[in-house]
């Protein structure tokens, strides 16, 4: 089956600049110019300084904390708030911060994107993806401070440094259509296997475990798949219909497999260019 990936869509092209000191990446993306929204009142509110975008976003101090993460797969308009960032092409909303089993702290959203496949010459969006990282990652990236997102995209050493940092990273995939598990794995393996040139018995075992998660498993629209790198040797895989997973579906322990998978999404030829471009925008904003 032939496959392709969608081209990068600059996030800035989807926003409407406003005379506001809010970061336009997470300001309202949809409004009626004949009936503009009332100004945002930030009185009696605090500003978040720890999000991946380091944006000055109003947070209601009286808001009740969310105990679960429930992705909202479709909405009538692309609404983005301090709690969620919307992937603009699929309208999938990602929480800007979340906690996952096995991680030492909450992870911050760096960027979002989507994967597209070609079926009978028609491009079909299959899933959205959000990249998260331990916020302490920024302290490891001083060499890339004050770089533009375009410069970051051209520098392959940036994501090498992110991968090698001994801090958790997680990719949150949300399906935007029904899919059987074998089809999902085959598409992933098509990109993964060529990146593992001479698999060792350890690699083969890890791939078999990875494959077994999806074989014979129907995946419905809205299903969440979390690929969480704890370090360079170990990755946790979670598959859940909704919300934060309560148990680990598999532990992958192979440095070759985990690094190849990271390269699938964030290497020089990623399956989702829009995800890498968005992550670079988020990193550039955070490293100013």
């Amino acid at each position: 089956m032939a496959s392709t990936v969608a081209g990068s869509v600059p996030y800035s092209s989807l926003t409407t600049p406003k005379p506001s000191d809010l970061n336009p990446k997470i300001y309202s993306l949809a409004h009626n110019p004949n009936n503009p929204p009332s100004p945002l009142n930030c009185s009696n509110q605090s500003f978040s300084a720890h999000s991946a975008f380091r944006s000055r976003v109003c947070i209601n101090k009286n808001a009740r904390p969310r105990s679960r993460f429930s992705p909202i797969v479709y909405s009538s308009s692309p609404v983005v708030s301090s709690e969620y960032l919307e992937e603009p092409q699929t309208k999938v909303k990602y929480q800007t911060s979340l906690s996952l089993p096995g991680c030492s702290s909450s992870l911050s959203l760096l960027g979002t994107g989507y994967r597209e496949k070609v079926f009978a010459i028609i491009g079909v969006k299959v899933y959205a993806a959000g990249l998260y990282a331990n916020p302490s990652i920024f302290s490891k990236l001083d060499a890339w401070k004050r770089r533009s997102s375009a410069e970051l995209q051209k520098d392959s050493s940036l994501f090498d440094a992110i991968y090698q940092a001994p801090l958790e990273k997680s990719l949150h995939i949300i399906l935007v259509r029904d899919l059987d598990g074998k089809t999902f794995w085959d598409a992933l393996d098509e990109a993964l296997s060529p990146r593992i040139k001479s698999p060792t018995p350890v690699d083969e075992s890890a791939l078999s475990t990875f494959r077994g998660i999806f074989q014979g498993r129907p995946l419905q629209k809205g299903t969440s798949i979390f690929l969480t790198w704890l370090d360079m040797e170990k990755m946790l895989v979670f598959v859940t219909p909704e919300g934060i997973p309560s148990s680990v579906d598999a532990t992958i322990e192979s440095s070759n497999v985990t690094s190849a998978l990271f390269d699938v999404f964030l290497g020089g030829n990623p399956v989702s260019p829009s995800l890498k471009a968005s992550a670079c925008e988020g990193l550039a904003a955070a490293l100013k």
Side-chain angles (χ1 to χ4, degrees):
M1 182 179 295
S3 67
T4 187
V5 294
S8 173
V9 179
Y11 204 94
S12 58
S13 68
L14 302 174
T15 62
T16 301
K18 289 189 173 284
S20 167
D21 65 347
L22 287 174
N23 186 326
K25 299 294 187 300
I26 45 182
Y27 193 80
S28 174
L29 297 177
H31 74 284
N32 184 342
N34 297 319
N35 183 27
S38 58
L40 183 64
N41 182 1
C42 293
S43 61
N44 196 32
Q45 295 178 335
S46 62
F47 290 104
S48 170
H50 301 290
S51 70
F53 295 98
R54 300 284 176 86
S55 304
R56 291 177 290 175
V57 181
C58 295
I59 308 295
N60 189 336
K61 292 180 177 179
N62 297 320
R64 296 179 60 188
R66 290 178 177 267
S67 58
R68 287 172 59 84
F69 167 54
S70 298
I72 303 173
V73 177
Y74 282 103
S75 65
S76 59
S77 61
V79 178
V80 182
S81 72
S82 59
E83 293 184 355
Y84 292 97
L85 179 65
E86 184 179 83
E87 196 292 303
Q89 296 300 306
T90 59
K91 304 299 185 289
V92 171
K93 292 183 180 179
Y94 281 93
Q95 194 166 328
T96 55
S97 178
L98 73 137
S99 298
L100 289 173
C103 294
S104 61
S105 71
S106 295
L107 306 183
S108 295
L109 181 65
L110 300 183
T112 65
Y114 65 98
R115 176 92 192 269
E116 188 174 73
K117 292 282 289 181
V118 169
F119 296 95
I121 76 170
I122 299 174
V124 177
K125 293 178 180 64
V126 180
Y127 58 75
L131 178 65
Y132 291 83
N134 187 312
S136 297
I137 195 73
F138 300 119
S139 66
K140 309 292 184 181
L141 304 177
D142 287 346
W144 292 272
K145 281 187 175 181
R146 292 175 290 280
R147 301 271 190 95
S148 69
S149 60
E151 289 174 316
L152 295 182
Q153 284 197 67
K154 295 176 183 177
D155 190 345
S156 61
S157 64
L158 168 63
F159 286 98
D160 289 341
I162 290 173
Y163 175 72
Q164 293 167 12
L167 295 164
E168 302 94 342
K169 283 77 64 174
S170 186
L171 185 74
H172 181 190
I173 292 170
I174 301 178
L175 298 183
V176 296
R177 61 182 60 254
D178 293 342
L179 201 65
D180 67 88
K182 183 180 184 302
T183 299
F184 177 85
W185 168 256
D186 287 348
L188 183 60
D189 188 50
E190 183 179 55
L192 181 61
S193 290
R195 288 170 162 86
I196 306 173
K197 301 301 182 182
S198 301
T200 67
V202 171
D203 301 335
E204 294 285 5
S205 177
L207 287 169
S208 177
T209 299
F210 204 177
R211 183 187 309 113
I213 300 170
F214 301 103
Q215 297 301 311
R217 184 174 193 165
L219 303 172
Q220 296 181 335
K221 182 174 73 175
T223 295
S224 284
I225 301 168
F226 294 86
L227 308 176
T228 303
W229 292 266
L230 299 183
D231 53 45
M232 293 174 61
E233 301 287 337
K234 182 181 294 186
M235 183 182 74
L236 305 181
V237 182
F238 310 93
V239 181
T240 178
E242 62 177 16
I244 292 293
S246 58
S247 60
V248 178
D249 285 81
T251 301
I252 308 300
E253 297 187 81
S254 162
S255 59
N256 288 334
V257 173
T258 59
S259 63
L261 188 64
F262 195 83
D263 188 74
V264 165
F265 291 95
L266 297 159
N269 185 29
V271 297
S272 175
S274 56
L275 172 65
K276 186 174 180 179
S278 177
C280 286
E281 289 189 18
L283 287 163
L287 295 171
K288 281 183 177 178

